């Protein structure tokens, strides 16, 4: 195996859940109300972004357009998005084939591929938006972290160059926040804050209470592997294609298999926690490895056996997520009646299908999940996250030093801040939606001029 072989960049994740089942305590309700209403809709925790230099300025006048650039891992994504959420032009250059031979993303190869593809992708996205150069957008945005540092730098250098050359507003975007905020572009009307987010990508698995722009509270995190990482590892074990992440190949193999074929433990089944574990607790990953290693060569070559392992792994992993979401749904009170799924794994049809939808009290639990192609890394999410900031007058100085490989999203729950849990501010007044409004929203808004560079 090549020494440089790396797993996916340390990206993000989140999770969320919902409602009400227990009598609210008055103090908790007050705390909850403070949490939901009294906090600023924007900034909040964002004060700790600690970016090298911050620019001032009034919100841009709408409508405005943003050029967004994403190079944090192995997709070169560029898009032009209008402040009302219209995707004007988009281009994506995937590196899946380049990394296939190595069984994972090789940072140096990824950086060089970003360098080769970025100029063309910017040009194509602008052209698809009907623009002839970056001089015609109002702002330039780029993912500055978390991710592979040498890859982030490629995008950031280009974004700084374009913003400076054309005198445009510049926004440094947090990759994970961009995943989360996609739900507000993808859905009409956009889910209002606060909402719960399940963020599952190649490097992150988190359950978040998203209170506003830059204001995310971590309710649960993975104790070991991220969900996408677990999919990638099991895909590698089954010798499936993993160039652009093994998730899609594993999902499609799992469709052919029996989810009870290989008995596997559901992690942390009896643990009263909101955290996730895909690797060590109850050893799901190890159990999958042992099942494959103990099989005869003949068995291992059999399509039914492989599909059975894939389906059984997916079933145990998603059952784990379901249990976490159900627990959060039953414990979270102040709350949000919207669950947002985001990050690459949210493209998984089985996850989308199984995520708990109705609330225990009968009121609908609205699930919002972007279309699959907007769940995985792309330039649209970067441009849109920046548009959300620009509407609040939040910009950054164009500076390559913003780049950071590690950059946690949100803050952990602190003592006295268990407020969002176990409380129900409106337990006795469940919100009713018109019968015509579905519990699960498959957003429809975007899409024009989108496409791939290939
Ligand atoms: O968000 P993303 O594109 O990049 C990161 O920020 O990491 O997520 C990539 C991860 C990979 O681990 C990939 O295998 C997983 O998302 N993924 C999936 C699916 N599509 C992508 N996992 C399961 N099922 C899918 N359909
Ligand atoms: Zn991502």
């Amino acid at each position: 195996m090549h020494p440089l072989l790396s797993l996916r960049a340390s990206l993000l994740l989140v999770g969320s859940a919902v409602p009400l089942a227990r009598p609210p305590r008055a103090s908790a309700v007050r705390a909850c109300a403070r949490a939901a209403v009294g906090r600023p809709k924007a900034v909040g925790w964002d004060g700790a972004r600690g970016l090298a230099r911050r620019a001032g300025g009034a919100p841009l006048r709408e409508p405005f357009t943003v050029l967004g650039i994403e190079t944090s891992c192995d997709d070169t994504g560029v898009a032009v998005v209008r402040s009302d959420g219209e995707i004007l032009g988009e281009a994506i250059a995937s590196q899946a084939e380049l990394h296939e031979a190595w069984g994972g993303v090789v940072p140096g190869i990824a950086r060089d591929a970003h360098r080769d593809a970025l100029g063309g992708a910017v040009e194509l996205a602008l052209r698809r938006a009907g623009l002839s150069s970056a001089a015609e957008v109002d702002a330039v945005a780029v993912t500055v972290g978390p991710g592979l540092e040498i890859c982030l730098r490629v995008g950031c250098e280009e974004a700084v160059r374009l913003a400076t050359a054309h005198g445009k507003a510049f926004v440094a975007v947090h990759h994970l926040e961009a995943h989360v905020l996609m739900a507000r572009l993808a859905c009409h009307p956009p889910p209002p804050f606060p909402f719960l987010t399940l963020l599952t990508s190649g490097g992150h698995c988190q359950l978040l209470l998203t209170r506003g722009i830059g204001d995310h509270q971590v309710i649960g995190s993975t104790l070991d592997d991220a969900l996408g990482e677990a999919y990638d590892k099991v895909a590698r074990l089954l010798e499936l294609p993993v160039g652009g992440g093994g998730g899609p190949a594993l999902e499609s193999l799992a469709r052919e298999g029996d989810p009870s074929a290989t008995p596997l433990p559901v992690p942390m089944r009896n643990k009263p926690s909101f955290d996730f574990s895909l690797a060590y607790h109850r050893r799901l990953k190890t159990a999958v490895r042992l099942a494959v290693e103990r099989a005869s060569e003949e068995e291992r070559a059999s399509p039914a056996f492989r599909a059975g392992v894939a389906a059984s792994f997916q079933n145990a992993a998603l059952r784990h997520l379901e249990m976490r979401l159900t627990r959060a749904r039953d414990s979270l009170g102040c709350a949000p009646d919207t669950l947002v799924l985001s990050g690459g794994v949210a493209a998984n049809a089985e996850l989308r299908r199984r995520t708990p939808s109705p609330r225990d009290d009968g009121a609908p639990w609205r699930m919002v999940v972007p279309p699959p192609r907007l769940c995985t890394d792309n330039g649209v999410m970067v441009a849109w996250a920046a548009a959300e900031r620009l509407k609040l007058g939040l910009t950054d100085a164009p500076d390559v030093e913003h780049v950071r490989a590690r950059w946690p999203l949100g803050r952990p729950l602190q003592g006295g801040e268990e407020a969002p849990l176990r409380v129900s501010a409106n337990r006795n007044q469940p919100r009713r939606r018109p019968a015509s409004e579905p519990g699960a929203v498959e957003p429809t808004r975007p899409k024009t001029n989108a496409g791939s560079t290939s």
Side-chain angles (χ1 to χ4, degrees):
M1 200 177 275
H2 192 283
L4 285 179
L5 186 147
S6 92
L7 297 179
R8 314 262 319 168
S10 63
L11 302 186
L12 66 92
L13 231 323
V14 178
S16 68
V18 178
L20 5 154
R22 270 162 242 191
R25 283 176 289 132
S27 60
V29 171
R30 281 196 299 276
C32 184
R34 271 202 306 280
V37 179
R39 296 179 64 87
K41 282 277 192 282
V43 189
W45 178 244
D46 199 44
R49 289 216 316 160
L51 292 180
R53 290 158 61 209
R54 185 140 206 122
L60 285 183
R61 271 186 52 181
E62 295 190 52
F64 59 82
T65 53
V66 185
L67 174 71
I69 296 177
E70 159 63 40
T71 61
S72 67
C73 192
D74 58 345
D75 289 311
T76 312
V78 182
V80 180
V81 175
R82 206 166 53 202
S83 50
D84 62 1
E86 189 73 22
I87 300 170
L88 302 176
E90 188 189 359
I92 289 190
S94 165
Q95 301 177 7
E97 282 178 22
L98 286 178
H99 299 292
E100 182 59 53
W102 304 102
V105 179
V106 184
I109 294 178
R111 176 201 52 206
D112 294 348
H114 285 306
R115 281 191 183 140
D116 290 348
L118 185 53
V122 168
E123 209 176 287
L124 186 56
L126 287 167
R127 194 165 70 237
R128 284 174 169 158
L131 307 175
S132 55
S133 98
E136 295 175 58
V137 299
D138 298 298
V140 178
V142 63
T143 301
V144 298
L148 296 171
E149 183 163 348
I150 55 176
C151 296
L152 291 162
R153 281 191 178 273
V154 175
C156 197
E157 280 164 10
E158 180 64 2
V160 166
R161 189 186 72 73
L162 290 171
T164 309
H166 301 294
K168 301 299 174 185
F170 178 86
V171 182
V173 170
H174 193 301
H175 182 85
L176 302 187
E177 177 166 78
H179 272 303
V180 174
L181 295 177
M182 271 314 295
R184 284 171 48 88
L185 172 145
C187 185
H188 262 320
F193 300 119
F195 52 78
L196 285 152
T197 307
L198 174 63
L199 173 59
T200 56
S201 68
H204 294 79
C205 188
Q206 287 181 295
L207 189 59
L208 305 174
L209 180 60
T210 296
R211 290 185 159 129
I213 308 298
D215 191 357
H216 310 269
Q217 188 169 42
V218 180
I219 292 170
S221 292
T222 183
L223 303 176
D224 37 65
D225 288 356
L227 183 57
E229 187 180 358
Y231 266 90
D232 296 346
K233 287 177 177 171
V234 174
R236 206 169 289 128
L237 195 67
L238 293 172
E239 296 174 1
L240 295 170
V242 292
L250 191 74
E251 181 191 8
S252 100
L253 181 60
R255 255 183 238 124
E256 316 296 319
D258 171 4
S260 60
T262 310
L264 294 173
V266 174
M268 300 173 81
R269 186 167 208 134
N270 300 314
K271 212 158 174 130
S273 149
F274 295 97
D275 289 330
F276 303 88
S277 168
L278 278 308
Y280 304 112
H281 286 257
R282 302 290 313 273
R283 306 188 186 288
L284 173 58
K285 190 178 69 178
T286 310
V288 177
R289 184 173 54 75
L290 290 177
V292 172
E293 284 174 4
R294 285 175 186 160
S296 66
E297 236 170 74
E298 197 182 326
E299 250 182 327
R300 258 181 277 172
S302 126
F305 172 79
R306 292 155 48 76
V309 171
S312 302
F313 161 75
Q314 176 163 273
N315 182 50
L318 296 187
R319 180 76 193 116
H320 174 42
L321 249 60
E322 265 169 17
M323 291 175 79
R324 288 293 174 265
L325 288 172
T326 304
R327 179 173 145 71
R329 184 190 65 188
D330 294 346
S331 311
L332 277 162
C334 59
D337 59 2
T338 299
L339 168 65
V340 163
L341 297 186
S342 63
V345 189
N348 183 291
E350 188 65 3
L351 170 63
R352 299 160 82 99
R353 189 184 67 74
R354 284 170 61 160
T355 300
S357 217
R359 301 195 326 198
D360 282 357
D361 62 1
W365 168 234
R366 183 187 190 217
M367 184 180 90
V368 176
V369 51
R373 74 175 188 85
L374 294 179
C375 289
T376 47
D377 294 351
N378 62 80
V380 174
M381 68 189 211
V382 180
W384 175 248
E388 293 256 39
R389 288 184 167 268
L390 288 161
K391 289 176 194 174
L392 300 167
L394 299 171
T395 60
D396 302 289
D399 189 336
V400 176
E401 295 315 309
H402 292 317
V403 163
R404 47 184 69 186
R406 294 188 161 272
W407 192 7
L409 180 70
R411 63 202 164 105
L413 284 175
Q414 291 156 4
E417 265 204 313
E418 39 173 349
L421 304 174
R422 311 211 194 160
V423 190
S424 167
N426 58 351
R427 181 172 192 271
N428 298 319
Q429 300 151 340
R431 281 176 55 190
R432 298 278 165 206
R433 290 174 194 278
S436 59
E437 189 172 345
V441 178
E442 287 274 348
T444 47
R445 155 131 60 117
K447 267 109 285 179
T448 45
N449 306 333
S452 132
T453 52
S454 52

